[in-house]
Coordinates of all heavy atoms in Angstrom, one line a residue:
M98 N 15.3 21.4 -0.8 CA 15.3 20.1 -0.3 C 14.7 19.1 -1.3 O 13.5 19.4 -1.7 CB 14.6 20.0 1.1 CG 14.6 18.7 1.8 SD 14.1 19.0 3.5 CE 13.2 17.6 3.8
P99 N 15.3 18.0 -1.7 CA 14.8 17.1 -2.7 C 13.6 16.3 -2.1 O 13.5 16.1 -0.9 CB 15.9 16.2 -3.0 CG 16.9 16.3 -1.9 CD 16.7 17.7 -1.3
C100 N 12.7 16.0 -3.0 CA 11.5 15.2 -2.6 C 12.0 13.7 -2.3 O 12.9 13.2 -3.0 CB 10.5 15.1 -3.7 SG 9.7 16.8 -3.9
A101 N 11.3 13.1 -1.4 CA 11.6 11.7 -1.1 C 11.2 10.8 -2.3 O 10.2 11.1 -2.9 CB 10.9 11.3 0.2
Q102 N 11.9 9.8 -2.5 CA 11.6 8.9 -3.6 C 11.2 7.5 -3.1 O 11.7 7.1 -2.0 CB 12.9 8.7 -4.5 CG 13.3 9.9 -5.2 CD 12.3 10.4 -6.2 OE1 11.8 9.6 -7.0 NE2 12.0 11.7 -6.2
P103 N 10.3 6.8 -3.7 CA 9.9 5.5 -3.3 C 11.2 4.5 -3.2 O 12.0 4.6 -4.1 CB 8.9 5.0 -4.3 CG 9.0 5.9 -5.4 CD 9.7 7.2 -5.0
R104 N 11.2 3.7 -2.2 CA 12.4 2.8 -2.1 C 11.9 1.4 -1.6 O 12.0 1.1 -0.4 CB 13.3 3.4 -1.0 CG 14.7 2.9 -1.1 CD 15.6 3.7 -0.2 NE 15.0 4.3 0.9 CZ 15.4 5.3 1.7 NH1 16.5 5.8 1.4 NH2 14.8 5.7 2.7
P105 N 11.4 0.6 -2.5 CA 11.0 -0.8 -2.1 C 12.2 -1.6 -1.8 O 13.4 -1.3 -2.2 CB 10.3 -1.3 -3.3 CG 10.9 -0.6 -4.5 CD 11.3 0.8 -4.0
T106 N 12.0 -2.6 -1.0 CA 13.1 -3.5 -0.5 C 12.7 -5.0 -0.8 O 11.5 -5.3 -0.5 CB 13.4 -3.3 1.0 OG1 13.6 -1.9 1.2 CG2 14.6 -4.0 1.4
A107 N 13.6 -5.8 -1.2 CA 13.3 -7.2 -1.4 C 12.8 -7.8 -0.1 O 13.3 -7.4 1.0 CB 14.5 -8.0 -1.9
F108 N 11.9 -8.8 -0.1 CA 11.3 -9.4 1.1 C 11.0 -10.8 0.8 O 10.5 -11.2 -0.2 CB 10.1 -8.6 1.4 CG 9.3 -9.0 2.6 CD1 9.8 -8.7 3.9 CD2 8.1 -9.6 2.5 CE1 9.1 -9.1 5.0 CE2 7.4 -10.0 3.6 CZ 7.9 -9.7 4.9
R109 N 11.3 -11.7 1.8 CA 10.9 -13.1 1.8 C 9.7 -13.3 2.6 O 9.6 -12.9 3.8 CB 12.0 -14.0 2.3 CG 13.1 -14.1 1.3 CD 14.0 -15.2 1.7 NE 13.4 -16.4 1.4 CZ 14.0 -17.6 1.2 NH1 15.3 -17.6 1.2 NH2 13.4 -18.7 0.9
L110 N 8.6 -13.9 2.1 CA 7.4 -14.1 2.8 C 7.7 -15.1 4.0 O 8.5 -16.0 3.8 CB 6.3 -14.7 1.9 CG 5.8 -13.7 0.9 CD1 4.9 -14.5 -0.1 CD2 5.0 -12.7 1.6
P111 N 7.0 -14.9 5.1 CA 7.2 -15.9 6.2 C 6.7 -17.3 5.8 O 5.8 -17.4 4.9 CB 6.5 -15.2 7.4 CG 5.6 -14.2 6.8 CD 6.1 -13.9 5.4
R112 N 7.1 -18.3 6.6 CA 6.6 -19.6 6.3 C 5.1 -19.7 6.4 O 4.5 -20.4 5.6 CB 7.2 -20.6 7.3 CG 8.7 -20.8 7.1 CD 9.2 -21.9 8.1 NE 10.6 -21.9 8.0 CZ 11.3 -22.9 7.4 NH1 10.6 -23.8 6.8 NH2 12.6 -22.9 7.4
R113 N 4.5 -19.1 7.3 CA 3.0 -19.1 7.4 C 2.4 -17.9 6.7 O 1.7 -17.1 7.4 CB 2.6 -19.2 8.9 CG 3.2 -20.4 9.6 CD 2.8 -20.5 11.0 NE 3.4 -21.6 11.6 CZ 2.8 -22.7 12.1 NH1 1.5 -22.6 12.2 NH2 3.4 -23.7 12.6
A114 N 2.6 -17.8 5.5 CA 2.1 -16.7 4.7 C 0.6 -16.5 4.7 O 0.1 -15.4 4.6 CB 2.7 -16.7 3.3
E115 N -0.1 -17.6 4.9 CA -1.6 -17.5 4.9 C -2.1 -16.7 6.1 O -3.2 -16.2 6.1 CB -2.2 -18.9 4.8 CG -2.0 -19.8 6.1 CD -0.7 -20.5 6.1 OE1 0.1 -20.5 5.1 OE2 -0.4 -21.2 7.1
Q116 N -1.3 -16.6 7.1 CA -1.6 -15.8 8.3 C -1.0 -14.4 8.3 O -1.1 -13.7 9.3 CB -1.2 -16.6 9.6 CG -1.8 -17.9 9.8 CD -1.2 -18.7 10.9 OE1 -0.3 -18.2 11.6 NE2 -1.8 -19.8 11.2
F117 N -0.4 -14.1 7.2 CA 0.3 -12.8 7.1 C -0.5 -11.8 6.3 O -1.0 -12.2 5.3 CB 1.7 -13.1 6.4 CG 2.6 -12.0 6.6 CD1 3.3 -11.7 7.8 CD2 2.9 -11.2 5.5 CE1 4.2 -10.7 7.9 CE2 3.9 -10.2 5.6 CZ 4.5 -9.9 6.8
H118 N -0.7 -10.6 6.8 CA -1.5 -9.6 6.1 C -0.5 -8.7 5.4 O 0.4 -8.1 6.0 CB -2.3 -8.8 7.1 CG -3.3 -9.7 7.8 ND1 -4.4 -10.2 7.3 CD2 -3.3 -10.2 9.1 CE1 -5.1 -10.9 8.1 NE2 -4.4 -10.9 9.3
I119 N -0.8 -8.5 4.1 CA 0.1 -7.7 3.3 C 0.1 -6.2 3.8 O 1.2 -5.6 3.7 CB -0.4 -7.7 1.8 CG1 0.6 -7.2 0.9 CG2 -1.7 -6.9 1.6 CD1 1.7 -8.3 0.5
E120 N -0.9 -5.7 4.4 CA -1.0 -4.4 4.9 C 0.1 -4.1 6.1 O 0.3 -3.0 6.4 CB -2.4 -4.0 5.4 CG -3.4 -4.0 4.4 CD -4.0 -5.4 4.1 OE1 -3.7 -6.3 4.8 OE2 -4.7 -5.5 3.1
E121 N 0.6 -5.2 6.6 CA 1.6 -5.1 7.7 C 2.9 -4.6 7.2 O 3.7 -4.0 7.9 CB 1.8 -6.4 8.4 CG 0.6 -6.9 9.2 CD 0.7 -8.3 9.8 OE1 1.9 -8.8 9.8 OE2 -0.3 -8.8 10.2
H122 N 3.2 -4.8 5.9 CA 4.5 -4.3 5.4 C 4.4 -3.6 4.1 O 5.5 -3.3 3.5 CB 5.5 -5.5 5.3 CG 5.1 -6.5 4.2 ND1 5.7 -6.5 3.0 CD2 4.3 -7.5 4.2 CE1 5.3 -7.5 2.3 NE2 4.4 -8.1 3.0
R123 N 3.2 -3.4 3.5 CA 3.1 -2.6 2.3 C 2.0 -1.6 2.5 O 1.0 -1.8 3.2 CB 2.7 -3.5 1.1 CG 3.8 -4.4 0.6 CD 3.4 -5.0 -0.7 NE 4.3 -6.2 -1.0 CZ 4.0 -7.0 -1.9 NH1 2.9 -6.9 -2.6 NH2 4.8 -8.0 -2.1
N124 N 2.1 -0.5 1.8 CA 1.1 0.5 1.7 C 0.5 0.5 0.3 O 1.0 1.1 -0.6 CB 1.6 1.9 2.0 CG 0.5 3.0 2.0 OD1 -0.6 2.7 1.7 ND2 0.9 4.2 2.3
V125 N -0.6 -0.3 0.1 CA -1.2 -0.5 -1.2 C -1.9 0.7 -1.7 O -2.3 0.8 -2.8 CB -2.1 -1.8 -1.2 CG1 -1.3 -3.0 -0.9 CG2 -3.3 -1.6 -0.3
H126 N -2.1 1.7 -0.8 CA -2.8 3.0 -1.2 C -1.8 4.0 -1.6 O -2.2 5.1 -1.9 CB -3.6 3.4 0.0 CG -4.7 2.4 0.4 ND1 -5.8 2.2 -0.4 CD2 -4.7 1.6 1.4 CE1 -6.5 1.2 0.2 NE2 -5.9 0.9 1.3
C127 N -0.5 3.7 -1.5 CA 0.5 4.7 -1.9 C 0.5 5.0 -3.4 O 0.3 4.2 -4.2 CB 1.9 4.1 -1.6 SG 3.3 5.2 -2.0
R128 N 0.6 6.3 -3.7 CA 0.6 6.7 -5.1 C 1.7 6.1 -5.9 O 1.7 6.1 -7.2 CB 0.5 8.2 -5.2 CG 1.9 8.9 -4.8 CD 1.7 10.4 -4.7 NE 1.2 10.6 -3.3 CZ 0.7 11.8 -3.0 NH1 0.6 12.7 -3.8 NH2 0.2 11.9 -1.8
H129 N 2.8 5.6 -5.3 CA 3.9 5.0 -6.0 C 3.9 3.5 -6.0 O 4.9 2.9 -6.5 CB 5.2 5.5 -5.3 CG 5.4 7.0 -5.3 ND1 5.7 7.7 -6.4 CD2 5.2 7.9 -4.3 CE1 5.7 9.0 -6.1 NE2 5.4 9.1 -4.8
Y130 N 2.9 2.9 -5.5 CA 2.8 1.5 -5.3 C 3.1 0.7 -6.6 O 3.8 -0.2 -6.7 CB 1.5 1.0 -4.7 CG 1.4 -0.4 -4.4 CD1 2.0 -0.9 -3.2 CD2 0.7 -1.3 -5.2 CE1 2.0 -2.3 -2.9 CE2 0.6 -2.7 -4.8 CZ 1.3 -3.1 -3.7 OH 1.2 -4.5 -3.4
S131 N 2.4 1.2 -7.7 CA 2.6 0.5 -9.0 C 4.0 0.5 -9.5 O 4.6 -0.4 -10.1 CB 1.6 1.0 -10.0 OG 1.9 2.3 -10.3
A132 N 4.7 1.6 -9.2 CA 6.1 1.8 -9.6 C 7.0 0.8 -8.8 O 7.9 0.2 -9.4 CB 6.6 3.2 -9.4
C133 N 6.7 0.6 -7.6 CA 7.4 -0.3 -6.7 C 7.2 -1.8 -7.2 O 8.1 -2.6 -7.1 CB 7.1 -0.1 -5.3 SG 7.6 1.5 -4.7
V134 N 5.9 -2.1 -7.6 CA 5.6 -3.4 -8.1 C 6.5 -3.6 -9.4 O 7.1 -4.7 -9.5 CB 4.1 -3.6 -8.4 CG1 3.9 -4.8 -9.2 CG2 3.3 -3.6 -7.1
D135 N 6.6 -2.6 -10.2 CA 7.4 -2.7 -11.4 C 8.9 -3.0 -11.1 O 9.5 -3.8 -11.7 CB 7.3 -1.5 -12.2 CG 6.0 -1.3 -12.9 OD1 5.2 -2.3 -13.0 OD2 5.7 -0.1 -13.3
V136 N 9.4 -2.4 -10.0 CA 10.8 -2.6 -9.6 C 10.9 -4.0 -9.1 O 11.9 -4.7 -9.5 CB 11.2 -1.6 -8.5 CG1 12.5 -2.1 -7.8 CG2 11.3 -0.2 -9.0
A137 N 10.0 -4.5 -8.3 CA 10.1 -5.9 -7.8 C 10.0 -6.9 -8.9 O 10.8 -7.9 -8.9 CB 8.9 -6.1 -6.8
V138 N 9.2 -6.7 -9.9 CA 9.1 -7.6 -11.1 C 10.4 -7.5 -11.9 O 11.0 -8.6 -12.3 CB 7.9 -7.2 -12.0 CG1 7.9 -8.0 -13.3 CG2 6.6 -7.6 -11.2
H139 N 10.9 -6.3 -12.1 CA 12.1 -6.2 -12.9 C 13.3 -6.8 -12.2 O 14.2 -7.4 -12.9 CB 12.4 -4.7 -13.2 CG 13.6 -4.4 -14.0 ND1 14.8 -4.2 -13.5 CD2 13.7 -4.4 -15.4 CE1 15.7 -4.0 -14.5 NE2 15.0 -4.1 -15.6
E140 N 13.4 -6.7 -10.9 CA 14.5 -7.3 -10.2 C 14.3 -8.8 -9.8 O 15.1 -9.4 -9.2 CB 14.7 -6.5 -8.9 CG 15.1 -5.1 -9.1 CD 16.5 -4.9 -9.6 OE1 17.4 -5.8 -9.3 OE2 16.7 -4.0 -10.4
D141 N 13.1 -9.3 -10.2 CA 12.7 -10.7 -10.0 C 12.7 -11.1 -8.5 O 13.2 -12.2 -8.1 CB 13.7 -11.7 -10.7 CG 13.1 -13.1 -10.9 OD1 11.9 -13.2 -10.9 OD2 13.9 -14.0 -11.0
W142 N 12.2 -10.2 -7.7 CA 12.0 -10.4 -6.2 C 10.8 -11.3 -6.0 O 9.8 -11.2 -6.7 CB 11.8 -9.1 -5.5 CG 13.0 -8.2 -5.5 CD1 14.3 -8.5 -5.8 CD2 13.0 -6.8 -5.1 NE1 15.1 -7.4 -5.7 CE2 14.3 -6.3 -5.3 CE3 12.0 -5.9 -4.7 CZ2 14.7 -5.0 -5.0 CZ3 12.3 -4.6 -4.5 CH2 13.7 -4.2 -4.6
E143 N 10.9 -12.2 -5.0 CA 9.8 -13.0 -4.6 C 8.7 -12.1 -4.0 O 7.5 -12.4 -4.3 CB 10.3 -14.0 -3.5 CG 9.2 -14.9 -2.9 CD 9.7 -15.8 -1.8 OE1 10.9 -16.2 -1.9 OE2 9.0 -16.1 -0.9
S144 N 9.0 -11.1 -3.3 CA 8.1 -10.2 -2.7 C 8.9 -8.9 -2.4 O 10.1 -8.8 -2.6 CB 7.4 -10.7 -1.5 OG 6.4 -9.9 -1.0
F145 N 8.2 -7.9 -1.9 CA 8.8 -6.7 -1.5 C 8.1 -6.0 -0.3 O 7.0 -6.4 0.0 CB 9.0 -5.7 -2.7 CG 7.7 -4.9 -3.0 CD1 7.4 -3.7 -2.5 CD2 6.8 -5.5 -3.9 CE1 6.3 -3.0 -2.9 CE2 5.6 -4.9 -4.3 CZ 5.4 -3.6 -3.8
T146 N 8.8 -5.1 0.4 CA 8.2 -4.5 1.5 C 8.4 -2.9 1.3 O 9.4 -2.5 0.7 CB 8.8 -4.9 2.8 OG1 8.2 -4.2 3.9 CG2 10.3 -4.7 2.9
C147 N 7.5 -2.2 1.9 CA 7.6 -0.7 1.9 C 8.1 -0.2 3.3 O 8.2 1.0 3.4 CB 6.2 -0.1 1.7 SG 5.4 -0.7 0.2
A148 N 8.4 -1.1 4.2 CA 8.7 -0.7 5.6 C 9.8 0.3 5.7 O 9.8 1.1 6.6 CB 9.0 -2.0 6.4
K149 N 10.8 0.2 4.8 CA 12.0 1.1 4.9 C 11.9 2.3 4.0 O 12.7 3.1 4.0 CB 13.3 0.3 4.6 CG 13.6 -0.8 5.5 CD 14.8 -1.5 5.1 CE 15.1 -2.7 6.0 NZ 16.3 -3.5 5.6
C150 N 10.8 2.4 3.3 CA 10.5 3.5 2.4 C 10.2 4.8 3.2 O 9.3 4.7 4.1 CB 9.4 3.2 1.4 SG 9.1 4.5 0.2
P151 N 10.7 5.9 2.8 CA 10.4 7.2 3.5 C 8.9 7.6 3.3 O 8.4 8.4 4.0 CB 11.3 8.2 3.0 CG 11.8 7.7 1.7 CD 11.7 6.2 1.8
L152 N 8.3 7.0 2.2 CA 6.9 7.4 1.9 C 5.9 6.4 2.4 O 4.7 6.5 2.1 CB 6.8 7.4 0.4 CG 7.7 8.4 -0.3 CD1 7.6 8.2 -1.8 CD2 7.4 9.8 0.1
F153 N 6.3 5.4 3.3 CA 5.4 4.3 3.7 C 4.2 4.9 4.4 O 3.1 4.3 4.2 CB 6.2 3.4 4.7 CG 5.5 2.2 5.2 CD1 4.8 1.4 4.3 CD2 5.4 1.9 6.5 CE1 4.1 0.3 4.7 CE2 4.7 0.8 7.0 CZ 4.1 0.0 6.0
Q154 N 4.3 5.9 5.2 CA 3.1 6.5 5.9 C 2.4 7.6 5.2 O 1.5 8.2 5.7 CB 3.5 6.9 7.3 CG 4.1 5.8 8.2 CD 3.1 4.7 8.5 OE1 1.9 5.0 8.6 NE2 3.6 3.5 8.6
E155 N 2.9 8.0 4.0 CA 2.3 9.1 3.3 C 0.9 9.0 2.9 O 0.1 9.8 3.3 CB 3.2 9.4 2.1 CG 4.5 10.0 2.4 CD 4.4 11.4 3.0 OE1 3.7 12.3 2.5 OE2 5.1 11.6 4.0
D156 N 0.5 8.0 2.1 CA -0.9 7.9 1.7 C -1.6 6.8 2.5 O -1.1 5.7 2.6 CB -0.9 7.5 0.2 CG -0.2 8.5 -0.7 OD1 -0.5 9.7 -0.5 OD2 0.5 8.2 -1.6
K157 N -2.7 7.2 3.1 CA -3.5 6.3 3.9 C -4.7 5.8 3.1 O -5.1 6.3 2.1 CB -4.0 7.0 5.2 CG -2.9 7.6 6.0 CD -2.2 6.5 6.7 CE -1.1 7.1 7.7 NZ -0.4 6.1 8.4
A158 N -5.2 4.7 3.7 CA -6.4 4.1 3.1 C -7.6 5.2 3.2 O -7.7 5.8 4.2 CB -6.8 2.8 3.8
P159 N -8.4 5.3 2.2 CA -9.5 6.3 2.2 C -10.5 5.8 3.3 O -10.8 4.6 3.4 CB -10.0 6.3 0.8 CG -9.6 5.0 0.2 CD -8.3 4.6 0.9
G160 N -11.0 6.7 4.0 CA -12.0 6.5 5.0 C -13.4 6.9 4.5 O -13.5 7.4 3.4
A161 N -14.4 6.6 5.3 CA -15.8 7.0 4.9 C -15.9 8.5 4.6 O -16.7 8.9 3.7 CB -16.8 6.5 5.9
D162 N -15.2 9.3 5.3 CA -15.3 10.7 5.2 C -14.8 11.2 3.8 O -15.2 12.2 3.3 CB -14.5 11.5 6.3 CG -13.0 11.1 6.3 OD1 -12.7 10.0 5.8 OD2 -12.3 12.0 6.8
S163 N -14.0 10.3 3.1 CA -13.6 10.7 1.7 C -14.8 10.6 0.7 O -14.8 11.2 -0.3 CB -12.5 9.7 1.3 OG -11.4 9.8 2.1
Y164 N -15.8 9.8 1.1 CA -16.9 9.5 0.2 C -18.2 10.2 0.7 O -19.1 10.3 0.0 CB -17.1 8.0 0.0 CG -15.9 7.4 -0.5 CD1 -15.1 6.6 0.3 CD2 -15.6 7.5 -1.9 CE1 -13.9 6.0 -0.2 CE2 -14.4 6.9 -2.4 CZ -13.6 6.1 -1.5 OH -12.5 5.5 -2.0
A165 N -18.3 10.5 2.0 CA -19.5 11.0 2.6 C -19.6 12.5 2.3 O -18.6 13.2 2.1 CB -19.5 10.8 4.1
F166 N -20.8 13.0 2.1 CA -21.0 14.4 2.0 C -22.4 14.7 2.5 O -23.3 13.8 2.7 CB -20.9 14.8 0.5 CG -21.8 14.0 -0.4 CD1 -23.1 14.4 -0.7 CD2 -21.3 12.8 -1.0 CE1 -23.9 13.7 -1.6 CE2 -22.2 12.1 -1.8 CZ -23.4 12.5 -2.1
N167 N -22.7 16.0 2.8 CA -23.9 16.4 3.4 C -25.0 16.5 2.2 O -24.8 17.2 1.3 CB -23.8 17.7 4.0 CG -23.0 17.7 5.3 OD1 -22.9 16.6 5.9 ND2 -22.3 18.7 5.6
Q168 N -26.0 15.7 2.4 CA -27.1 15.7 1.5 C -28.4 15.4 2.3 O -28.4 14.6 3.1 CB -26.9 14.6 0.4 CG -28.0 14.6 -0.6 CD -27.7 13.5 -1.7 OE1 -26.5 13.1 -1.8 NE2 -28.6 13.1 -2.4
P169 N -29.5 16.1 1.9 CA -30.7 15.8 2.6 C -31.2 14.4 2.4 O -30.9 13.8 1.3 CB -31.7 16.8 2.0 CG -31.0 17.6 1.0 CD -29.6 17.1 0.9
A170 N -31.8 13.8 3.4 CA -32.3 12.4 3.3 C -33.3 12.3 2.2 O -34.1 13.2 1.9 CB -32.9 12.0 4.6
D171 N -33.3 11.2 1.5 CA -34.3 11.0 0.4 C -35.6 10.5 1.1 O -35.6 9.5 1.8 CB -33.7 9.9 -0.5 CG -34.7 9.6 -1.7 OD1 -35.6 10.3 -1.9 OD2 -34.4 8.6 -2.4
S172 N -36.7 11.2 0.8 CA -37.9 10.9 1.4 C -38.7 9.8 0.6 O -39.7 9.4 1.0 CB -38.8 12.1 1.5 OG -39.1 12.6 0.2
G173 N -38.1 9.3 -0.5 CA -38.7 8.3 -1.2 C -39.6 8.8 -2.3 O -40.2 8.0 -3.0
R174 N -39.8 10.0 -2.4 CA -40.7 10.6 -3.4 C -40.0 10.8 -4.7 O -38.8 11.2 -4.7 CB -41.3 11.9 -3.0 CG -42.3 11.8 -1.8 CD -42.9 13.1 -1.5 NE -42.4 13.4 -0.2 CZ -42.3 14.7 0.3 NH1 -42.7 15.7 -0.5 NH2 -41.9 14.9 1.5
P175 N -40.7 10.5 -5.8 CA -40.1 10.7 -7.2 C -39.8 12.2 -7.5 O -40.3 13.1 -7.0 CB -41.0 10.1 -8.1 CG -42.3 9.8 -7.4 CD -42.0 10.0 -6.0

């Protein structure tokens, strides 16, 4: 079975773009995001969306658990 490929789609920003959150239609944490930006620039799109991409939900924003680890508390002593 072949691997899914990123598939950005041209997108027009809504009139009230200042109230629009990019995270609603793009996954900026996707490992393919930069390649999709390259496609949008090459095709001269005003904007693009990841909503129809099969990889849209693949990579999630890192949470605190990605950075947290078990370590004894620092007692302040050198």
